[in-house]
Amino acid sequence: MRKKVIAYTVFGAVLSLLALSVDAGKQPSVDGDRVEFSLADLDGAIVESSEDQFTDRVLLITLWATWCPPCLTEIPTFIDLQERYGERGLTVVAIAFESVDDPTERREMLQEFASEQKINYLVLDGGPPAEFETALPMLKGVRGFPVEILVDRSGRVVEARNGYGYKKKWARKLNEELEALLGPGSSAEAP
């Protein structure tokens, strides 16, 4: 399984870089003002965006893949944000799109990866990249990963944008945006 992940990583890196270089100025958008999903978690249980666990929460949704190098550089920041802001109302939701057709094998691979990375936030199985539009039909203009979507406590999308991987400036901006969406509470230093 490790060889498959490495092969997909190299292949995905090339695709991600090509997609981002071609469409660097174009940002994804949401048709309407909500992101709705019904996807399996890593144990195979269906998680729906309408569930109580998302009520009155700020969501940071990231669309990513293990084969996407910029996606991987963001993981430590998302771990830190979930740890620091979880009690104040943040839920990080990572929707993975992996190039493994078998759902059980895909989720097992994601479980192993999440465990190795010590991911402390919700990871959902979006399916293979070819099924992206089926999993999230309201998203338009997605040309590559990562993609970040900020959702306020009312469930309304505040912003959808391309992610380009970890940078200090990006982490500071994301921290400021989350502070504003979460509202008053104990402030935390930028990652």
Side-chain angles (χ1 to χ4, degrees):
M1 187 174 317
R2 181 60 108 195
K3 289 180 183 177
K4 282 184 183 179
V5 171
I6 292 170
Y8 291 136
T9 300
V10 172
F11 177 70
V14 172
L15 286 179
S16 292
L17 292 174
L18 286 174
L20 290 175
S21 65
V22 170
D23 293 315
K26 295 183 180 178
Q27 295 293 329
S29 63
V30 177
D31 188 11
D33 65 354
R34 302 202 179 268
V35 174
E36 296 178 355
F37 54 81
S38 180
L39 301 169
D41 67 13
L42 300 187
D43 293 322
I46 299 300
V47 175
E48 296 187 4
S49 55
S50 60
E51 291 180 10
D52 288 344
Q53 68 175 316
F54 304 117
T55 301
D56 196 34
R57 304 284 295 180
V58 170
L59 302 183
L60 169 56
I61 301 172
T62 179
L63 310 181
W64 69 293
T66 59
W67 45 259
C68 165
C71 301
L72 303 183
T73 66
E74 295 180 336
I75 291 172
T77 299
F78 294 150
I79 290 170
D80 181 58
L81 291 171
Q82 183 62 60
E83 185 175 307
R84 288 188 298 125
Y85 291 129
E87 288 185 22
R88 284 186 52 200
L90 174 68
T91 299
V92 177
V93 180
I95 302 175
F97 291 90
E98 297 296 329
S99 299
V100 176
D101 289 329
D102 180 76
T104 302
E105 185 179 336
R106 190 173 53 245
R107 288 191 296 269
E108 286 173 359
M109 187 265 302
L110 284 166
Q111 279 180 329
E112 183 180 321
F113 181 85
S115 177
E116 288 172 2
Q117 298 297 314
K118 297 181 174 47
I119 291 176
N120 61 350
Y121 48 84
L122 179 62
V123 177
L124 299 177
D125 177 14
E131 295 177 15
F132 176 82
E133 290 180 5
T134 302
L136 299 167
M138 76 292 308
L139 294 180
K140 307 297 180 201
V142 174
R143 307 276 187 261
F145 298 136
V147 170
E148 299 166 10
I149 304 165
L150 293 173
V151 179
D152 68 15
R153 289 184 187 272
S154 71
R156 188 181 59 80
V157 172
V158 175
E159 185 171 5
R161 62 183 175 226
N162 295 317
Y164 297 99
Y166 175 82
K167 292 184 176 156
K168 284 186 181 182
K169 183 178 178 181
W170 162 80
R172 277 192 304 272
K173 179 182 179 206
L174 186 55
N175 190 70
E176 290 167 5
E177 291 170 321
L178 291 173
E179 281 282 344
L181 288 170
L182 290 166
S186 60
S187 183
E189 291 181 25

